[in-house]
Amino acid sequence: MVAFPTIRHKPLIAIFFVAISCSIIQDGDIKSAEELSKLKLTSFQIAQTTNSGNSTVTATMTYDSVKNFVDTNTGMTIARRVEYSLPPLGNLKMKLRSGTTASTRLRINYTDTKKVFSMRILQLDSTVELYRFFYSSSGQLIQIKTFMDPVDGLPLTLVIDDIFTYTGNTISTITRNFNGSPSTHQITYGSQGSGSYVTQIANGTQGYSNSGGCSNSNSNPYACTIYYPQSGGGPQVYMYTTLISNSLDQLSLQDQRNNSGGGGSNNREADTYYFHPLMILRNQVASGDHLLVMYLMDWWSIGATINNPPPFTDEKVIFRYTYGF
C-alpha cells in the first residue's frame, strides 16, 4: 500500500559540450544568502552499495548557457539552460523511472524569473522523461507534470499531473490526475526544532507514515527519517540528509535488509528507488524539503518479501553533490 498506489503497480517500458570553469566551494566559503543563491551544481555522484554489487557514477555539468526563447507548449520564457551527462545507473537499487538503462542527458530549463521550469531526460536525441514545474502569480509552486515517453512515435506510457494546495506556505494536499484518474492526498507534518517534516501522505486508507526511530538534529528535521506503508510494519525506507549552509550536501537512502535484529521476514524486501529531479533540485524549489520526501515515497518500489533470508547487509544509495560559483 503506497501513497500514490497507481504509479507503483503500472508496468515500466523499458549538445553542446562546453568547457565549464568554476570554483569548488567549502562550507566556510558561503558568507551570505546572496552567495548561496549563486551556487551552481557542477556535478553529483550516485553511489550504490548492494548485496548484488556496488556502483558509483558521476554526472557532470556539460552545458550552462543563457537563453531567450518562449516555450511553445506553455508560453513561458526560458532564460537559462543547464545540462548534465549521466552515465548508466546499472541494475542495482537506483534506476530511471522510464526504464532506460543507457547513458542519458539531464536538460534543465530555467525561467526568466530564475525558477526551475523543466527537466528533460534524453537518451541520444529522444526524450524519455519530462518534468514541468508551474507557479502561481506570486511565485509559489502549484503544479508538477510528469511525462514518460521512452519510445519515439508511440503514445505516452505515463502522464501524472500533480496540483498542490497550500495552507500558508506549506503544502497541505496533492490532487493527482494519473492517466486520467484523479485522487487527493493529505499531507501531515510534524515539528523538529525550528523546522517541520512530512509525517504522513495519505488518501484515507493508503499512504506512507513516518515511523520515527531516528535521531533528528534540531537544525535539520530530515537528518534521519523512516517511512513505511500506512498499514504498518513490513517495508521501510530510511532517508538521511546532511546539510551544508542550507544547501543539500548529501542524500542517503537505506533499504534495511539485515535481519540481525529479528522480526522474521519483515523489512527483507529488495526495494528499488527511482531517480526524481528533486533529488538534485531540492534546494532550487520552494518547499523542496517536503517535496523531496513526497516524491521519494512516490518513486519507491517495494520488492517481494523474502522469507528466512540469508544474512544480507543493508543496501544504500548515496547522492553526493559538488557546487561551485
Side-chain angles (χ1 to χ4, degrees), residues 20 22 24 40-46 57-62 82-85 248-249 280 319-324:
I20 304 295
C22 61
I24 305 303
K40 294 182 179 180
L41 179 64
T42 58
S43 67
F44 62 93
Q45 186 183 82
I46 303 176
V57 301
T58 300
T60 56
M61 181 190 290
T62 57
V82 178
E83 286 195 10
Y84 299 89
S85 175
L248 187 62
D249 180 51
I280 64 171
F319 281 76
R320 300 185 179 97
Y321 308 87
T322 301
Y323 294 93

Side-chain angles (χ1 to χ4, degrees), residues 84-272:
Y84 299 89
S85 175
L86 178 64
L89 293 176
N91 193 34
L92 297 174
K93 296 295 286 185
M94 178 62 62
K95 300 178 182 180
L96 290 175
R97 188 66 176 84
S98 58
T100 300
T101 57
S103 298
T104 54
R105 288 178 290 136
L106 312 183
R107 177 181 294 172
I108 305 169
N109 284 335
Y110 294 86
T111 69
D112 53 354
T113 58
K114 299 183 179 181
K115 294 185 180 297
V116 176
F117 168 69
S118 66
M119 175 185 280
R120 188 180 296 269
I121 301 181
L122 299 106
Q123 180 183 338
L124 297 177
D125 63 346
S126 299
T127 298
V128 294
E129 302 181 21
L130 173 61
Y131 305 82
R132 287 199 180 114
F133 299 74
F134 298 88
Y135 304 86
S136 68
S137 57
S138 63
Q140 200 169 54
L141 179 67
I142 56 173
Q143 186 177 18
I144 296 178
K145 299 189 75 170
T146 303
F147 306 87
M148 301 287 166
D149 186 15
V151 182
D152 286 345
L154 294 180
L156 295 173
T157 59
L158 182 67
V159 178
I160 304 171
D161 187 2
D162 289 336
I163 297 175
F164 310 116
T165 57
Y166 289 77
T167 300
N169 293 320
T170 303
I171 297 172
S172 54
T173 64
I174 300 177
T175 300
R176 162 161 291 180
N177 191 310
F178 179 87
N179 284 354
S181 300
S183 60
T184 299
H185 305 268
Q186 303 293 324
I187 313 302
T188 306
Y189 299 89
S191 60
Q192 176 72 33
S194 59
S196 65
Y197 62 97
V198 175
T199 58
Q200 190 174 81
I201 308 169
N203 65 351
T205 59
Q206 298 174 328
Y208 275 108
S209 296
N210 185 317
S211 67
C214 282
S215 298
N216 293 348
S217 70
N218 289 332
S219 60
N220 175 17
Y222 283 118
C224 178
T225 51
I226 311 173
Y227 287 88
Y228 64 95
Q230 188 177 326
S231 55
Q236 295 179 340
V237 59
Y238 283 64
M239 186 185 85
Y240 301 86
T241 62
T242 303
L243 300 180
I244 177 172
S245 297
N246 297 318
S247 181
L248 187 62
D249 180 51
Q250 181 169 295
L251 167 67
S252 302
L253 310 176
Q254 180 173 313
D255 181 6
Q256 270 205 317
R257 302 197 66 201
N258 182 348
N259 68 339
S260 60
S265 62
N266 284 349
N267 308 328
R268 303 289 85 79
E269 303 79 7
D271 300 343
T272 300

